[in-house]
Amino acid sequence: MKLNDEEQAMLAGEAGPAVKWAIEHQLQVGQMFDAADMVHVSQAHMMADPESLGEAGVAFAEKMAEEGAEVKIPMITDPRGVDLSCYELLGQTEDMANLERRFIAACTAMGIMMTNTCINYQTIMPPVFGDHVAFGDTGVVIYSNSVCGARSNFEGGPSALAAGLTGRTPRYGLHLDAQRQATRRYHVRHSPKDLMQWGVLGAAIGRMAGSYWEVPVIEGIEAAPTSDQLKHFGAAMASYGSIPMFHIVGITPECHRLSDVGAETLSTTEITAEILTSLQAPFTATGEAVDVVVFAAPQLSLVEMGQLASLCKGRKRAETTDMIVCTSAQVYGDAVSMGYVSALEAFGARVLVGTCFYQQYAREIGEANGWTRLLSNSAKIVNILGGYGYKPALASMSACINSAEKGVIVT
């Protein structure tokens, strides 16, 4: 890879051991992907919850902080593994909380902003068209690439930290024009309406495309979707297919027409109602008792919090069914002032701040609380939680609330 004088100095250790580690790490990543050089990035976003970091990962972050590591661009964080205000109520242990506290202290010492959110594009500082960034979290990356027109690969935790320390990342993948051209073409014959249906559509396309190097282009969407609908769509597509970017003709910024993304000659795959029903079928459990209803993955926006609060008003969950709502600290403050949080808590929900359900020791809290049958409106979360010992089911937001009230799954 070609390095400029500043990058050569980093490699020689002139900016300290932490930056030397960072540029060496980026060189290895760049060489693996045949990057020609580095590209400057304006922001970094790190996915590094203590459940995935473990003791070794936290100790590494502490070592970096002790060696004087300091980020040189705005750097923010994905959801945490523990909400320190209520971890005991969830059945999380003091060891889990202490690991979280140590990681927060190390990040803070490095100048990292503990924003703890996977909806930073709705709450913190949305990247702009053509902006090169180094983002973690698949849902963040696919939204930023597709809806904002920014440029990012899926950055693992160490790679995102390295980008924060050097202010650049290897120029490969979605940082290149050629990699942003469409490779698969889909025509939707059954337009989604609610958030759950948008997630199911994203999941179906993600499953069919199925590769980090594929970029789907979608036709047939009848009206411009909302930010929340695209959030669920992209998060599910990335979860089911490792897809980092999509285009929707006439809606996303790089695809006014098929020719903008080189898609005129691609063969078309039809997305029918039968395909969507087939994907959803394994997550249908009408009539079964539900242990916990979860709204997370991605964290809820203020609009979603308001919709949920409206559905819960004047009602009460069944004693046998818990309900968890995960949102960001930025949304939580507004949701308190709007009365949404009090309405959710009156229903019997627990609102967690700065976490996401599947990133907070999902297996352990399931065992501690006796949760097996889980219901959500997130296609992403039901795809993930089967691997954590749950029996997940999928329903619309309103059906989830109706189910939480009755204690059994209704549609």
Side-chain angles (χ1 to χ4, degrees), residues 290-294 317-324 347-350 369-371 373 375 404:
V290 57
D291 299 317
V292 60
V293 175
V294 173
R317 68 167 172 83
E319 291 187 1
T320 53
T321 302
D322 290 305
M323 189 166 114
I324 302 292
F347 179 78
R350 186 171 298 159
N369 290 280
W371 296 332
R373 175 58 78 185
L375 181 65

Side-chain angles (χ1 to χ4, degrees), residues 149-162:
R151 299 181 169 220
S152 181
N153 291 307
F154 290 152
E155 299 276 9
S159 292
L161 177 58

Side-chain angles (χ1 to χ4, degrees), residues 207-227:
R207 178 175 285 176
M208 286 188 280
S211 166
Y212 180 75
W213 303 108
E214 301 287 359
V215 178
V217 60
I218 296 112
E219 301 171 274
I221 299 299
E222 295 172 351
T226 67
S227 173

